[in-house]
Amino acid sequence: MASSAGSEDRVAEARPRLVTRPLLLRFVTVVGSSASFYLLLSVVPAYAQSAPGGGSDKAGLVTGALMLATVAGELVAPWLAARCGHRVMLGAGLLLLGAPALALIVSQSMACIVTVCLVRGLGFAFTLVAGGALTASLIPPERRGEGLALIGVMAGVPSLVGLPLGAWLALHTGYGPVCSVAALIALVSVAAVPGLPGREAASGLPLGIFAGARSGTLSRPTAVFAVTAVGAGIVVTFLPLAVAPGHSSVVAAALFVQPAAATASRWFAGRRADRRGAAGLVVPGVVASAAGILVVALTGVPVAVVVGTAVFGVGFGITQSATLTLMYSRVPASGYGTVSALWNVAYDAGMGIGAVGFGTVAGLTGYPWAFVLTAFLMLTALVPARWDQTVACKPHATT
């Protein structure tokens, strides 16, 4: 017994500490940026629609401006971070995310709303890319999967709560208070930034985002994640429209279950990746994601809709964790910003393309068949996933 206890103690000592003071401060900035972003994600389109001369086209315009600026910011953030440092970029991102929201209190003009969305989109992109690189540098490589999963949970909970809470606050208190709360949350979290590590010498040459995109070791996981993110954009956008009227409770349950399942499975996948590697999780994640969307195609069966979104959430969470862990493991510290940018661009672009493309297809085939076709489209991600596994198994594989 004593020998067994001693062995367990040595194993525990061999595992480096995961949660440190800098990582706790990083948690503060993660919660601050995520909560501020998601509180207003559904509120601002409604605000624009209620403005004089507003309409559904105005609601779409502001969301489009937000996502366009986010993707653009993610593309330039690695270049800026290489010159300013990740800590400066994170602080700037929180300021750009929070302060402009206060302008919505004093003006409801479309020019003001679109400008605010553009600036906040840039700010959110900076927090994602610079914050992601900082996170990777704060986590011991031996516990990278678990650490990234923990950060995913810290970001996922505010998004899970923020979307419905923002709409509820706007309905019961008006747009001004919810805009003020979103601004305050981001601005207060800036206080945690000085406690994070400053600019440090990173091993390896800087890796530009386009060079990273051309590298097979990064482009293959990026492509896999982008294809699975297509399903996430479709579920969030079209599930309320695809389910038969009178089943609003089914939609609400499904939209809660999907991110909850993704958050839980991301945590599980991260812990498993640290013990057995992340590469073996990618294919199961893709298969589960596609299977979930295929079950959702039974839009007239409430149980199928909820179960399908849960299965999709599990697969999507596994894919999130596995692809990000793989990508960070394949670059030196100087490439962390590029990895964060590529992964987040894949997320946003996949969701956006999925929503636009699905709407066109559904207009021709109807929602059930559009979900079926989406499931088969998502299975095409198995090609780069299996290719990546094959190449990774070869000695000295770099492409």
Side-chain angles (χ1 to χ4, degrees):
M1 293 292 290
S3 175
S4 176
S7 176
E8 290 177 0
D9 289 342
R10 286 192 296 272
V11 171
E13 290 174 2
R15 285 172 61 80
R17 183 182 178 187
L18 177 59
V19 180
T20 59
R21 182 178 180 276
L23 191 61
L24 287 173
L25 292 174
R26 173 67 184 125
F27 288 165
V28 174
T29 62
V30 169
V31 173
S33 60
S34 185
S36 178
F37 181 81
Y38 285 102
L39 269 174
L40 295 186
L41 186 58
S42 61
V43 169
V44 174
Y47 184 62
Q49 191 168 357
S50 67
S56 59
D57 58 329
K58 300 297 189 296
L61 175 63
V62 298
T63 300
L66 178 70
M67 299 313 299
L68 177 64
T70 300
V71 172
E74 288 164 350
L75 292 174
V76 302
W79 180 83
L80 290 172
R83 285 148 183 80
C84 304
H86 293 112
R87 184 172 64 180
V88 171
M89 286 290 293
L90 177 58
L94 289 168
L95 287 172
L96 293 175
L97 184 61
L102 297 173
L104 297 175
I105 300 173
V106 297
S107 175
Q108 202 176 4
S109 71
M110 281 305 301
C112 175
I113 296 173
V114 170
T115 301
V116 166
C117 288
L118 290 171
V119 176
R120 293 189 80 240
L122 283 175
F124 189 55
F126 292 170
T127 66
L128 291 174
V129 175
L134 270 173
T135 298
S137 69
L138 295 173
I139 298 172
E142 301 89 341
R143 303 187 70 178
R144 179 173 284 132
E146 184 179 1
L148 293 175
L150 186 57
I151 285 289
V153 172
M154 300 303 296
V157 172
S159 67
L160 192 64
V161 175
L163 277 170
L165 180 61
W168 185 89
L169 285 173
L171 180 64
H172 292 85
T173 68
Y175 293 109
V178 68
C179 291
S180 299
V181 170
L184 186 63
I185 289 173
L187 295 175
V188 167
S189 63
V190 175
V193 173
L196 294 169
R199 184 190 294 272
E200 297 180 359
S203 60
L205 295 173
L207 179 65
I209 188 166
F210 294 108
R214 291 194 300 269
S215 166
T217 55
L218 297 183
S219 65
R220 288 187 293 269
T222 299
V224 171
F225 182 54
V227 174
T228 53
V230 165
I234 289 170
V235 168
V236 171
T237 306
F238 288 99
L239 195 64
L241 304 176
V243 175
H247 290 85
S248 58
S249 60
V250 174
V251 173
L255 292 180
F256 176 82
V257 165
Q258 186 265 313
T263 301
S265 64
R266 189 172 179 180
W267 170 258
F268 162 80
R271 289 179 61 85
R272 187 188 182 283
D274 288 339
R275 290 160 174 78
R276 301 185 182 181
L281 293 169
V282 178
V283 169
V286 171
V287 172
S289 299
I293 293 296
L294 188 60
V295 174
V296 172
L298 299 171
T299 55
V301 183
V303 173
V305 171
V306 176
V307 171
T309 52
V311 173
F312 168 75
V314 169
F316 188 55
I318 292 173
T319 310
Q320 281 182 300
S321 181
T323 54
L324 187 58
T325 302
L326 273 178
M327 291 169 71
Y328 275 127
S329 71
R330 293 174 174 178
V331 298
S334 58
Y336 287 169
T338 295
V339 165
S340 181
L342 285 172
W343 191 84
N344 281 292
V345 167
Y347 199 164
D348 296 331
M351 289 187 68
I353 292 171
V356 173
F358 186 89
T360 301
V361 173
L364 300 173
T365 66
Y367 289 117
W369 277 109
F371 279 113
V372 171
L373 293 174
T374 299
F376 283 105
L377 170 67
M378 292 171 65
L379 287 176
T380 64
L382 290 174
V383 176
R386 294 303 299 269
W387 184 14
D388 193 68
Q389 278 188 327
T390 302
V391 173
C393 291
K394 294 179 181 179
H396 310 298
T398 57
T399 59

